[in-house]
Amino acid sequence: MAARSAPSCHLRLEWVYGYRGHQCRNNLYYTAAKEIVYFVAGVGVVYSPREHRQKFYRGHSDDIISLALHPERALVATGQVGKEPYICVWDSYTVQTVSVLKDVHTHGIACLAFDLDGQLDLIQRMQFAFGTGKEGKCYLWLQVTQIDCKVLSVCSVHYLSSVEFMQIFDISWDLYQPNKLVSCGVKHIKFWSLCGNALTPKRGVFGKTGDLQTILCLACARDELTYSGALNGDIYVWKGINLIRTIQGAHTAGIFSMNACEEGFATGGRDGCIRLWDLTFKPITVIDLRETDQGYKGLSVRSVCWRGDHILVGTQDGEIFEIVVHERNKPFLIMQGHCEGELWALAVHPTKPLAVTGSDDRSVRDMTEVVHIKDRKEAIHELKYSPDGTYLAVGCNDSSVDIYGVAQRYKKFGECVGSLSFITHLDWSSDSRYLQTNDGNGKRLFYRMPGGKEVASKEEIKGVHWASWTCVSGLEVNGIWPKYSDINDINSVDGNYIGQVLVTADDYGIVKLFRYPCLRKESLADSNSDESDSDLSDVPELDSEIEQETQLTYRRQVIFITTYRGYDCRSNLFYTQIGEIVYHVAAVGVIYNRQQNTQRFYLGHDDDILCLAVHPLKDYVATGQVGRDPSIHIWDTETIKPLSILKGYHQYGVCAVDFSADGKRLASVGIDDSHTVVLWDWKKGEKLSVARGSKDKIFVVKMNPYVPDKLITAGIKHMKFWHRAGGGLIGRKGYVGTLGKSDTMMCAVYGWTEEMAFSGTSTGDVCIWRDIFLVKTVKAHDGPVFSMHALEKGHMEGEVWGLATHPYLPICATVSDDKTLRIWDLSPSHCMLAVRKLKKGGRCCCFSPDGKALAVGLNDGSFLMANADTLEDLVSFHHRKDVISDIRFSPGSGKYLAVASHDSFIDIYNVMSSKRVGICKGATSYITHVDWDIRGKLLQVNTGAKEQLFFEAPRGKKQTIPSAEGKFGKFKRYVAHSTHVTNVRWTYDDSMLVTLGGADMSLMVWTNEMEGYREKRPCDSEESDIDSEEDGGYDSDVTRENEISYTIRALSTNIRPMFGIKPHLQQKEPSTDERPPVSRAPPQPEKLQTNNVGKKKRPIEDLVLELVFGYRGRDCRNNVHYLNDGDDIIYHTASVGILHNVATGTQSFYQEHNDDILCLTVNQHPKFINIVATGQVGDSADMSGAKIASRAGHNQRIFVAEFRPDSDSQFVSVGVKHVKFWTLAGRALLSKKGLLSTLEDARMQTMLAVAFGANNLTFTGTISGDVCVWKDHILCRIVARAHNGPVFAMYTTLRDGLIVTGGKERPSKEGGAVKLWDQELRRCRAFRLETGQASDCVRSVCRGKGKILVGTRNAEIIEVGEKNAACNVLKMLNKVNLGHAARTVCYSPEGDMVAIGMKNGEFIILLVSSLKIWGKKRDRRCAIHDISKTVFTFDTFLRMSVYKTVTMASLRPPVFGRFSPDSRFLAVGSSENSVDFYDLTLGPTLNRISYCKDIPSFVIQMDFSADSRHLQVSTGCYKRHVYEVPSGKHLMDQAAIDRITWATWTSILGDEVMGIWSRHAEKADVNCACVSHSGISLVTGDDFGMVKLFDFPCPEKFSACGGISPRCPCPDAVLLSSVVSPQPLSSHQPSTEAR
């Protein structure tokens, strides 16, 4: 069976062959201990020649490409490549990390250099580093301590042109001049001066002394002299910045390395020579390595180091030589390795400690050729000798294996041809009779030897013992494949039969160790990290309750509105990322949410705010204030907490701020006399550059979105263009010329190129600038232009179809009918990088696999290939007359290009030869899509006739391949485009999706948020091991639960499928018999019958929340607790926290949440009595407390986290297949995974609950009903079958240590869903809940004095007595099971009967006294979502009020019933557009006597008239109709309708209630209404979750209302929205609407 844990053995790096000489230089040095330091791959190597021993530094995550040695020759700095490269400083003695410098470079670290000062106790310049990326930055690092470093200065390097970056090859500190350093590279040398934190460069002046050429290396000497090696082999000598002489012919080719020492200088070049020079650079001697014993033709020196009489030499081919000067002709070879391409071939000697390797550099070293055979044209990927040495098996990329006889001088004996893809691995059986193979498709085949006949019988292979195991596919190695891995992810495998271990190597650079055999899927591996087997799982299937919780996602949508203060400020109003509005007033930063009608405030300023800017990602806001010592605050819009505060460089105030496009920098302008401009690194709080702005006032500053070192300022009669130089800013005033005069510039913004800018003037003109020159003015406004904002410019006409994403960069290309090709940046800057005009419109484009070329198909049948960087043409073809519809490069090297057109052909071109090599014919319609297979040998084609065709490449021969049948895949829908979506593409790392809208001409970027996404971290067993197989075989609830959609609670759109014109938008038709203003006609009767005739009518002027029925138990746990020694119970439902007094039955409420509460806990510390914490759902939460520490918990769902009762620093979290034990250490969180130890049958299950015992014991409840007992973090015991179902809740009683557990069980005589255990969980007593359910599901337990408090999934709170096991259900009088879902309920006028409408179209009449069925009938049938199957009767403390449950499905009930006032008739309305009448006087038979005809939509409300002769019906199309009772005749006479007095009014339609519809009702509906018994007050409930109070009638549109919201969303299942009592106020006018 499969291994249950990772192997107990480990791997240790013993020796590394190789040295990186290609593409690197100056990377080989002697240390102070006379050891040799260098690097290869991602490893720093310290080699001791005396002991012949290597030490390794392994702190890098990617290839090292640069190295520098500290002047004391003990510390080493190494720089790597990568998306976020970093520099490691490490000790060559201990190979331990001293410091890691990161977060500033991109692409890679090209050069490193230490300065002369080596005193670590002083603030010193430690390191100078150049990046390899095109950002053009060099960084000077400052070391404060031995561990802590920071950037002292950042500066720009030089560009050869606007698009070509000048590569830096070498840097060096001038050890004889303080604060001086030199850099060199492509056609330049620069001399830098450090002043403070500013680096200022000066270019070297070549003059007439030497040619301007590329400088490869350099060294500094005394008297301001600098020596540099040139590409042509000359040495240039510099005095200051001037070239004074040249040493011609120093080498015959480029000089790659120059090393300075006490004896002089050593140089090495491409000519293979080492030259030694004295201190005045006069030649001493020359050593030609090509002429030595170890030399060879083509030897090239890349690194040289001279110390005493020893010289170290590193070569291009990966060799390290040590030369003793007096024996210069006998260099000693220290290291040798491969030098270019990739290294795949590896074999170890069967009896000796030897290995042989072969590489793309065409070398297999120290071998003598015996025989040379070439029977195949494609690459040989694998070969192996048989164990008896008789045969050689050779696997080829053409899918075949050839068998050769060794003794017969390698004569071919057989051929294995069963594979359909290239051969990847071979293994012989021990008796040399069988051969097993793997191919590129992951297929495993067996053959008889030596003939090569395929073995089809499994029985024949069953007993075969294999001499070796290197195959990656097979039953024995199933467990090496992680989830979601590709078939070619694992490159190599080797089994160790003796040690019973298996080692694998994969595409991610990781070596893993498994047990052998590894039968189980996703077995545990050891990757040189902590041993842990807690990810192992033999878990049973997920319970339906847990499956529901693990799939819950809580999403919220926000509605926003703009507001603005602009009388003395400008450009101070922005949207946040979630659509809220941010602005400022006085000293307060304000975030306004219109949907919730709430404001949040940033109160960090102590004086008036003058300016505001928003981070490009809209996460952060920068605000600048006025004051003697003004400050700039950068704060988070979600948490309202400051991120950085900048002070010290402005006076009197800050009038303008702006972020850079990447969000890392901030520009600010002060209101001092010089209006100082400062550029900040705001995260570190450091000033980067500062300059005097202008004597005149500056109104605005804007950072260039394309070049972060450029910005503009605008103000009174000036416009300035700035660029950064070292620690300063250089500004140039805009040149107006003859196009205008110097107007006051009120605002400015950059255009769609880095040179273009716009400014608005005080006269209403808009000025257009290119670079610093004014090119045009446009009259835009009659008055001053105070504000401008630049929008992204996209395609302009026609449709957009062409889309391609870059193979390894976050950019994409689009082509459109507007004849433009555009390149877009998908990184956070989100800008257009380039645009090119085409001769014709285009419909497709594609990047080459290396990203260097871009192919574009045009509408005239031609296509072109352009340089992806410059967009310049490389080649073009025109072989077709119709539109080019798709174009694709072949994968891999991109050798072929497939071009599809609308004339039904696909042309195949050879990219290298620029010739058409094939044509695919046979399509019956135009070509729509083309795809290559992974090998580049097969084309898949779709046509307009919905054909799927296949063609062989490159000739285009048609192939017949059957396609699998399938249809109707499940999907998620996302709506954003307004027209057809023409193209979709994933980015190279699948992190983003790019979509094109055809006619809407929009390019949309979507982020890919994957559930359970786990970040890859190498060498971390806690995250790198993959969990075992997923839980499967769910119970009967899964189908329903998987279809649940958890939508927004506070709804912003209507949830009922209404149609038609809403009441407040309908045009009222004038009545033909309207009375004149003065009439003697009798007055109109009362609209509503009242029950307080003769009494003084008092309006209800306020609503106070008095009682809430309901408890959230369906998806929460541990959320019911005792308070005050059991006198009170605390729990939650919706967004309300409820404190229930057991003795009096009264409730008090906590209503500060704005969305559903999900969790609740009580502080049990005696110092903090009655302190309760509740957490809510939502996109963001306001945390006013200080965060102590945070850390990622787990990649799977966490259900419970609880502190140990005896500790303030230790807690435990449990969830899906894991348990973690946490410790708070200062401001850090440390965790340990639960270890399963060696218990028999121990397996990691999904953990649902946690409790604690003495002696550091922890108890966790599992999905299978077991309880695991942990000592510290090690499993020591399992209480099997503590419950029959999942253990959802556990509670530890502090006073006596007893533990209560709650689970999911069927009631029985022996057990129940609640159990009380002793302190060690060995004995228990079970309690039955007597709920009447077939299965009890307990979600929360708590224990008080002699009582156990239980919360169930069915939203019941039950008290269980410990002595008598008596159960008391809170607040419920009675309950009856109806068998089907109930949708609506109505009392009879006398209150003796209640009618219930059912989901299945049936209605039932119950007697209230006994809840027995009096009668039932089913004349209609309907089907909508299931919500509830039970009717509850609640105690309301003798209050004569009726409460109604509003649920998602009851908003459109299939059956809606209403008794007539005289109790004679029952009207039943349904969603089948009908109302049926039943005569109750005829008895329980309930025969239908009539029905209402011509109802245009489903029925939502009904009301009888006071005389029971009429019925008004409200429908789903916003129409109100009146019918006669019982005939069902439609009453059309409006005058007769106006004279009707209604017994009740629940209709939301009609002139009498026109005012209940708000201005914003177009986004949501009013769901329900009810007029008070006095007839003068009206209450409504709507989709926003609000309860509103109006005067009745309210015929005026948009009437004022008094609004409350307990923040209980109306569509909340089994939740009474509110129970209210009238409270008169001093004022008789309702207040304005409030949330």
Side-chain angles (χ1 to χ4, degrees), residues 1060-1068 1517-1519 1554 1597:
I1061 302 175
K1062 300 202 174 185
H1064 64 293
L1065 301 177
Q1066 296 178 6
Q1067 297 294 327
K1068 184 178 179 181
C1517 62
Y1518 301 107
K1519 296 293 185 181
M1554 182 65 68
K1597 289 185 178 181

Side-chain angles (χ1 to χ4, degrees), residues 1123-1138:
L1123 286 181
N1124 301 323
D1125 293 330
D1127 294 338
D1128 298 318
I1129 298 173
I1130 183 77
Y1131 60 98
H1132 67 83
T1133 186
S1135 62
V1136 182
I1138 303 168

Side-chain angles (χ1 to χ4, degrees), residues 2 14 74 333 457 493 514 532 638 649 686 739 750 783 795 921 1086 1439 1453 1478 1586 1593:
E14 182 71 22
L333 180 63
S457 172
V493 168
F514 296 83
S532 172
E638 296 183 9
Y649 289 93
E686 297 177 357
L739 294 178
Y750 274 97
H795 292 283
K921 304 176 182 179
E1086 290 286 340
R1439 299 177 57 82
Y1478 297 87
M1586 294 179 61

Side-chain angles (χ1 to χ4, degrees), residues 1415-1430:
K1416 62 180 179 180
K1417 193 66 180 294
R1418 182 181 182 184
D1419 290 326
R1420 303 285 178 183
R1421 62 178 64 246
C1422 190
I1424 58 174
H1425 292 298
D1426 185 4
I1427 297 295
S1428 173
K1429 291 186 178 179
T1430 342

Side-chain angles (χ1 to χ4, degrees), residues 151 162 317 332 392 591 613 620 714 756 791 949 1064 1220 1321 1422 1450 1502 1515 1550 1570:
V151 176
S162 60
D317 293 335
F332 177 71
L392 174 67
I591 296 179
Y620 312 130
M756 183 170 289
L791 301 175
L949 306 176
H1064 64 293
K1220 278 192 176 184
L1321 222 71
C1422 190
S1450 66
M1502 296 188 300
T1515 67
C1570 185

